[in-house]
Amino acid sequence: MSNERRGGSRRESGDGQQPRRPARSGGQSGNRSGGQAGKQGGRQGGNFRGGSSAKSRAQANAPRRRPAQSSEPARDVHVEDGVRLQKVLAQAGLGSRRASEELIANGRVEVDGQLVTELGVRVDPATAVIHVDGLRIQLDQAKVTIALNKPLGVVSTMDDPKGRPTVADLIRNREERLFHVGRLDADSEGLLLLTNDGELANRLSHPKYQIAKTYLVTVEGEVYPRIGRELLKGVELDDGVAKMDAVHVLQQIDGFAMLEVVLHEGRNRIVRRMFEAVGHPVTRLVRTRIGPIPLGDLKAGRTRVLGRTELGTLMNAVDL
């Protein structure tokens, strides 16, 4: 059996969020997370990106290339009483048994880090780590990960003693016991991920993996270039210095500015506190991306199950 490892690149899936015109006041302008920016002649801003921070943001957002195999002898991944690899792939939604055999024969399948090209290989679906074209394949059909567009006024908990609307109210039709990854305040909106995969959730929340998050933010006042540089350099907060990875001023009009910002910080209300510290209170905040997963055109209060490619890029981002 030839077990030489093959590298390959992967593309980020999905498109980003379209910006919308900032609100004229501190009130809310609806639950839509995107839309065309206002056509009135607002002053446009620029891009500000940090050095190492921008690099870490790119690494966190992009699907990761599998590492090249070492020169050590290949390991035999065959499990005598296991299930044929092509059957496992077919059951995972990779196509028919015949199509799965072609994937193997064409050198597109790895099992536990080993390239497999022979059709007689059997694996244990409960323990095998399988990649196809460099993307991790979820073999456990009981595990699911979904994207949710959290509306304004909904709290990021499964139960609220104050009786406020919760994330649980939006997924009552799901049979799985899901828990959310990260939080959004009640007065913020946008992308949340929910899953019943405990290992995936733990890694997405762990600072080690520096999963970048992207936000559309409307703030009071005109944001000058020095403010962008200050946010990149670091802002002193009561719980330590916080830095943004990228700041892009999209539009400035009528005393308000709309920006796209990227950061991997996960502290409570971090975006709002950073802008407050530089003198620009936030009037609207929408999260549009978590790592490689975009909010896209998902409507407020709706969910969608991550597809195989999206889930694979997300798992690769946290080295699963």
Side-chain angles (χ1 to χ4, degrees):
M1 180 184 305
S2 173
N3 287 327
E4 183 180 58
R5 186 155 187 168
R6 184 173 70 117
S9 61
R10 297 178 297 281
R11 293 185 179 179
E12 182 176 278
S13 64
D15 295 324
Q17 190 77 0
Q18 291 290 330
R20 66 177 295 175
R21 179 181 174 183
R24 293 177 59 93
S25 67
Q28 289 139 0
S29 53
N31 284 344
R32 293 180 55 200
S33 58
Q36 186 72 21
K39 296 183 179 181
Q40 300 182 17
R43 183 180 307 175
Q44 299 296 319
N47 290 308
F48 308 95
R49 294 191 183 275
S52 60
S53 294
K55 181 179 180 181
S56 66
R57 174 247 180 167
Q59 292 173 339
N61 270 350
R64 299 184 180 184
R65 184 186 299 268
R66 301 299 298 176
Q69 187 174 356
S70 68
S71 58
E72 296 179 359
R75 292 179 290 105
D76 186 2
V77 297
H78 180 75
V79 178
E80 191 62 35
D81 58 349
V83 181
R84 287 189 178 273
L85 179 57
Q86 55 265 44
K87 181 178 180 180
V88 172
L89 295 177
Q91 291 175 339
L94 273 295
S96 66
R97 190 86 61 91
R98 175 59 181 164
S100 298
E101 290 176 350
E102 291 180 358
L103 290 175
I104 297 170
N106 291 334
R108 298 169 62 183
V109 181
E110 293 178 4
V111 178
D112 296 336
Q114 303 294 322
L115 182 66
V116 175
T117 57
E118 295 184 8
L119 300 181
V121 172
R122 293 175 177 267
V123 299
D124 181 357
T127 60
V129 175
I130 298 178
H131 288 79
V132 176
D133 293 335
L135 288 181
R136 172 77 178 267
I137 302 302
Q138 176 59 265
L139 301 180
D140 187 348
Q141 301 302 302
K143 292 182 179 178
V144 64
T145 301
I146 68 174
L148 164 69
N149 186 349
K150 188 193 83 66
L152 290 168
V154 174
V155 293
S156 297
T157 61
M158 293 302 179
D159 181 63
D160 182 60
K162 297 181 180 179
R164 295 173 296 180
T166 69
V167 168
D169 297 327
L170 302 176
I171 57 170
R172 291 191 181 280
N173 62 327
R174 304 293 312 188
E175 295 181 357
E176 308 89 355
R177 183 181 179 184
L178 300 170
F179 44 94
H180 56 85
V181 179
R183 301 177 61 87
L184 279 175
D185 300 320
D187 52 355
S188 299
E189 53 193 300
L191 180 61
L192 275 178
L193 296 179
L194 298 100
T195 185
N196 60 354
D197 186 336
E199 180 62 22
L200 176 61
N202 289 336
R203 294 201 181 198
L204 287 171
S205 303
H206 200 289
K208 170 184 176 181
Y209 298 98
Q210 296 190 339
I211 298 300
K213 302 175 182 66
T214 304
Y215 301 84
L216 285 181
V217 187
T218 301
V219 302
E220 296 178 3
E222 184 172 354
V223 177
Y224 295 101
R226 63 176 177 81
I227 298 298
R229 292 192 294 268
E230 185 175 353
L231 291 169
L232 294 174
K233 183 178 180 180
V235 177
E236 184 69 43
L237 303 176
D238 56 5
D239 54 354
V241 176
K243 300 179 181 180
M244 290 186 175
D245 301 338
V247 179
H248 180 199
V249 181
L250 301 175
Q251 188 179 33
Q252 307 204 74
I253 186 172
D254 297 339
F256 289 87
M258 182 172 63
L259 307 91
E260 182 184 73
V261 302
V262 181
L263 71 165
H264 59 267
E265 288 270 5
R267 284 179 271 173
N268 186 41
R269 299 178 66 87
I270 189 67
V271 177
R272 293 180 182 275
R273 290 194 290 140
M274 290 183 71
F275 276 105
E276 184 75 33
V278 296
H280 293 276
V282 172
T283 62
R284 186 169 187 243
L285 187 148
V286 182
R287 184 156 65 198
T288 60
R289 180 179 289 269
I290 298 176
I293 308 301
L295 178 62
D297 58 0
L298 189 63
K299 295 183 179 180
R302 302 298 295 273
T303 63
R304 64 178 175 85
V305 177
L306 297 193
R308 186 174 65 250
T309 299
E310 278 191 312
L311 182 58
T313 60
L314 186 64
M315 295 176 77
N316 283 357
V318 291
D319 293 337
L320 280 175

